[in-house]
Amino acid sequence: MCQPPANNEPETRRVIIAGAGPAGLLLQALLHNRNKATDARVTYNVTMIESRADLGQLNNEELQAHRSWMIGLAGHGLEAIKSVPDLYEKYCSDVGINVTEGNVFLGSKKISMGGGGNELDNGENFIVDRNFIVAALARYAKDHLADSPFYAAKYDTEMLYVDYENRRVLVRNKTTKEEEYLPYDLLVGADGIRSTVREALVKRHFDFELQVGDIFQTFKAVHVQRPEALSPNSMSLLPTCFPNFNGISLPETGGLINLSMGVPRNLFDEVPSDLKSDDPSVVEKYFRENFKAFTLSDEAYVELGKQWAGQRWNRTGMVHCNRYSSLECGIVLMGDSAHATSPSIGMGMNTALRDAQKFNELLDKFQDDLDEVLPQYSKDRVPEGNSLTDIALNTYCFDAKVGLRTMLSTMARTGLNKLLPFLVAKDYGMLIGRPEHTLADIYQMATEQGVLRKHRAINQRIRHEYFERETGMIKEKPGFSMLRRTALVVVPVAACAVAAYVKSN
C-alpha cells in the first residue's frame, strides 16, 4: 500500500485530523516530523478541523480567560510529548506544577500519602490546565507547521458528516456558513465524546461495540488562592469533605489551587440547599462554617462563593469501544472519542497523548503501511483505553463508607510496603502513570488486589437502582421509604433481643 512511486518521490497521503485537542495536535506534530525525514516514504498532507477557536493564537494573559480542567501529565504523556524534539522543553515545560507531595484530609486531620513523609514516590507527575497544554501544542504548530505546504488548519469549522464510502468529510465554517467536502486517505477521529468520526464505525461495522455514558458524578470546580496549609507542590484528597461529597485540591500556576468537589448523582437531592444556591454569599458562608480541611483567606472565600454560585453543576462523559480503527473506512480513533473517562486518576490526557505516540511508532514499525498499522493500533490500544475507563470509574466507590475503608486500606498497604517490600506489593494506585507500567498492567494489579471487582459490583448496583428510579421502572410506594428506615433500626434491635433471650434460656 505504501510502496514509493517509481521515481522514488514519496507518496502523498491526505490526512484529516478531527479535533485540535492533545491527541490531534500531537499527532500533527509527529506527522510533520516524519515529512522532514530524508528517507521518508510518505509525505503526510495534514488538514486540522476544529470547531472552536485556536488557543495557540492567544498570549498568556488572554489564555487566563480560558482556564479549564486541571488534569495530570504523568510519565505516559510526558514521554509522548518528548517524542517531538523541543516540544516539551520550549513549549510545555512551564505550563504546569510538578506534584511532589500528597495528603489526605479527614476533616481537619491531615495525613501524608507518602507513608512517612509527604513526598510521593510516583515519578514525574505534573498538574496542568488542559487548555494550557492545548495552547502550547497549538503554538508549536504555528511556529513549525504554518509555512508548510503540507499543513492546513481550519478552526471554527464543524465536521458534519463522514462519507466513508467515498473517503471524504463534509465540513462547515461556523462564521461564513460555507460547506465543503474534503477528501482523505486517513481520517483521525480525535473529536471528543460526541465524535462525528466515530459514527462512521457505527454505520459500517455491525460488530462495533460502543457505550457512551457519564461518570455518575455531579461536581463543581473553582480556582482560588492557595491557603497557607498547602505547599505549592501538593495534591490533597478530601474524602467526605461535605455530606456525600468527595473532593480534591490540585496546585495551579499563579499561586492558585483548583478545588473540585463532587457527589454521586443518586445523592444529589440530598446536597445541602446552601450549596445549590445561586447567591455567592450563601455559598461563601456555608464553606466558612462547614469546610474543615483547611482555612482559606477572606478573599479566597469570597471568590469561591462567586465562582461556585456562578456555574452550573458539571457532568462529564465516558466512552467504551471494542475497536479503535477501521481499514474499510480509513479511520483511527484517539483520545476521548475512543476512551473518554472519569478524571479521577488523572490519566485521560496522558492516554490520549500516548495514542498519538504509539500510532506514530507503528508507522515506523510497518513502514507507513496502513493495512498493517490500523489493525495493530486497535489491538494495542483497546486494552489500554478500556483499562483506563474501568480503573478511573471503579478505583473509587459510590458508597462513601466503602470508599473510605478502601482509602485507609490503601494507606496501610503503602506504609507496609515501605517496611516490608518483599512481602507487601505496592498499591496499584502508586504506579499509575509510570511509563514502565501500561494501564493494562495496572488493571491486572488492581484486580488482583481486590479493589476493582468489589467497587464495580457496588457501583453497578447503585447506578442501576438509580436508573430504575429515574426512568420510572421502579416506583417507591408511599410510606415504603419510612418503613425501610424503620426496619433498619427495628430489625437489628429485635435480633439482638432474640439472641439475648435464647442465651438466657
Side-chain angles (χ1 to χ4, degrees):
M1 181 175 179
C2 298
Q3 295 300 318
N7 61 4
N8 291 324
E9 286 294 319
E11 169 197 347
T12 298
R13 182 173 293 161
R14 299 164 300 182
V15 179
I16 292 178
I17 299 177
L25 288 168
L26 180 61
L27 182 63
Q28 73 174 9
L30 290 165
L31 294 179
H32 174 72
N33 274 353
R34 299 187 72 80
N35 290 346
K36 295 192 298 183
T38 56
D39 58 348
R41 301 166 61 86
V42 173
T43 296
Y44 291 94
N45 192 347
V46 176
T47 300
M48 171 65 73
I49 307 295
E50 170 56 52
S51 63
R52 291 167 292 189
D54 181 2
L55 295 180
Q57 300 295 331
L58 305 179
N59 60 38
N60 288 337
E61 184 176 346
E62 293 169 332
L63 193 58
Q64 297 301 316
H66 295 267
R67 282 189 177 273
S68 178
W69 311 115
M70 298 302 296
I71 49 183
L73 180 59
H76 290 209
L78 286 168
E79 278 197 351
I81 289 175
K82 290 176 180 178
S83 66
V84 176
D86 294 333
L87 178 55
Y88 174 75
E89 292 81 2
K90 294 184 178 180
Y91 293 87
C92 299
S93 61
D94 61 348
V95 300
I97 302 291
N98 187 23
V99 175
T100 58
E101 298 179 15
N103 305 294
V104 176
F105 283 88
L106 300 178
S108 60
K109 176 67 174 177
K110 181 179 178 181
I111 304 173
S112 167
M113 292 167 60
N118 287 51
E119 294 185 6
L120 292 177
D121 180 25
N122 62 346
E124 285 186 293
N125 189 11
F126 286 83
I127 299 297
V128 298
D129 188 296
R130 184 259 186 198
N131 282 349
F132 288 11
I133 283 291
V134 168
L137 296 174
R139 287 168 182 161
Y140 177 91
K142 181 179 67 174
D143 293 347
H144 294 269
L145 281 69
D147 295 332
S148 170
F150 301 109
Y151 172 73
K154 293 180 178 289
Y155 282 89
D156 296 306
T157 300
E158 299 173 298
M159 183 170 291
L160 303 178
Y161 175 71
V162 177
D163 177 7
Y164 60 85
E165 293 179 328
N166 295 301
R167 298 289 177 97
R168 61 180 186 167
V169 299
L170 178 64
V171 302
R172 178 172 59 204
N173 184 285
K174 293 170 67 176
T175 302
T176 66
K177 307 302 180 183
E178 293 181 1
E179 297 182 0
E180 63 177 323
Y181 276 102
L182 302 175
Y184 71 85
D185 300 304
L186 173 65
L187 175 58
V188 181
D191 50 340
I193 295 173
R194 308 297 172 186
S195 169
T196 300
V197 175
R198 193 180 58 221
E199 291 176 7
L201 273 67
V202 175
K203 295 173 182 177
R204 175 60 180 81
H205 296 283
F206 72 91
D207 59 344
F208 179 56
E209 296 180 13
L210 168 65
Q211 185 179 35
V212 180
D214 80 345
I215 64 170
F216 204 65
Q217 293 281 329
T218 302
F219 61 96
K220 290 193 177 189
V222 296
H223 308 271
V224 296
Q225 182 182 6
R226 177 176 53 83
E228 294 181 0
L230 300 180
S231 80
N233 300 90
S234 66
M235 173 186 74
S236 298
L237 301 180
L238 309 167
T240 59
C241 49
F242 295 135
N244 302 318
F245 274 78
N246 286 316
I248 188 169
S249 169
L250 300 173
E252 291 192 50
T253 56
L256 302 176
I257 59 168
N258 179 229
L259 194 59
S260 179
M261 299 179 183
V263 60
R265 285 174 56 201
N266 63 311
L267 300 176
F268 185 73
D269 289 345
E270 300 177 23
V271 172
S273 60
D274 287 355
L275 288 178
K276 293 181 178 180
S277 174
D278 59 2
D279 184 340
S281 64
V282 172
V283 175
E284 175 194 339
K285 183 173 183 291
Y286 186 88
F287 267 84
R288 285 182 184 271
E289 294 176 353
N290 297 279
F291 184 66
K292 304 300 184 184
F294 40 78
T295 301
L296 301 173
S297 67
D298 289 339
E299 294 84 357
Y301 279 119
V302 171
E303 183 61 27
L304 185 154
K306 291 178 181 178
Q307 292 184 31
W308 186 282
Q311 66 179 283
R312 63 179 174 82
W313 288 91
N314 297 296
R315 288 165 58 177
T316 189
M318 228 176 15
V319 172
H320 302 273
C321 304
N322 68 333
R323 64 189 298 169
Y324 294 165
S325 64
S326 167
L327 271 177
E328 294 83 353
C329 300
I331 285 175
V332 62
L333 303 179
M334 296 184 182
D336 283 354
S337 69
H339 44 69
T341 187
S342 163
S344 63
I345 62 170
M347 286 298 293
M349 182 176 69
N350 287 283
T351 307
L353 293 166
R354 197 69 136 175
D355 288 343
Q357 177 196 14
K358 293 302 181 181
F359 185 82
N360 186 60
E361 290 177 359
L362 289 173
L363 291 175
D364 284 336
K365 180 178 180 179
F366 294 111
Q367 299 182 321
D368 297 282
D369 187 348
L370 294 182
D371 287 345
E372 298 284 350
V373 171
L374 265 62
Q376 190 63 44
Y377 175 81
S378 266
K379 183 177 180 181
D380 293 347
R381 299 306 294 168
V382 166
E384 285 295 281
N386 283 280
S387 294
L388 164 71
T389 54
D390 199 285
I391 295 168
L393 182 66
N394 295 311
T395 282
Y396 300 98
C397 188
F398 298 159
D399 184 319
K401 292 181 180 179
V402 175
L404 184 58
R405 287 199 297 268
T406 299
M407 180 175 293
L408 294 174
S409 175
T410 295
M411 294 169 66
R413 174 183 282 275
T414 300
L416 288 171
N417 171 259
K418 287 183 176 292
L419 294 173
L420 305 168
F422 51 91
L423 289 179
V424 181
K426 275 184 179 290
D427 181 80
Y428 73 91
M430 300 299 293
L431 303 175
I432 292 174
R434 284 178 174 260
E436 66 269 25
H437 295 289
T438 67
L439 288 170
D441 293 338
I442 301 298
Y443 180 85
Q444 181 161 342
M445 293 178 200
T447 301
E448 291 171 350
Q449 290 177 14
V451 175
L452 290 187
R453 287 190 176 129
K454 177 177 67 176
H455 286 186
R456 188 186 301 116
I458 296 170
N459 290 351
Q460 287 179 346
R461 174 183 58 78
I462 290 174
R463 188 169 192 141
H464 189 70
E465 288 174 353
Y466 176 76
F467 181 80
E468 289 174 331
R469 295 192 301 273
E470 185 183 42
T471 58
M473 297 165 64
I474 297 292
K475 295 182 174 63
E476 196 164 275
K477 297 178 180 178
F480 179 74
S481 179
M482 180 61 70
L483 178 63
R484 182 170 57 188
R485 289 192 180 99
T486 303
L488 289 174
V489 176
V490 172
V491 171
V493 171
C496 291
V498 171
Y501 174 79
V502 171
K503 184 176 181 181
S504 64
N505 289 273

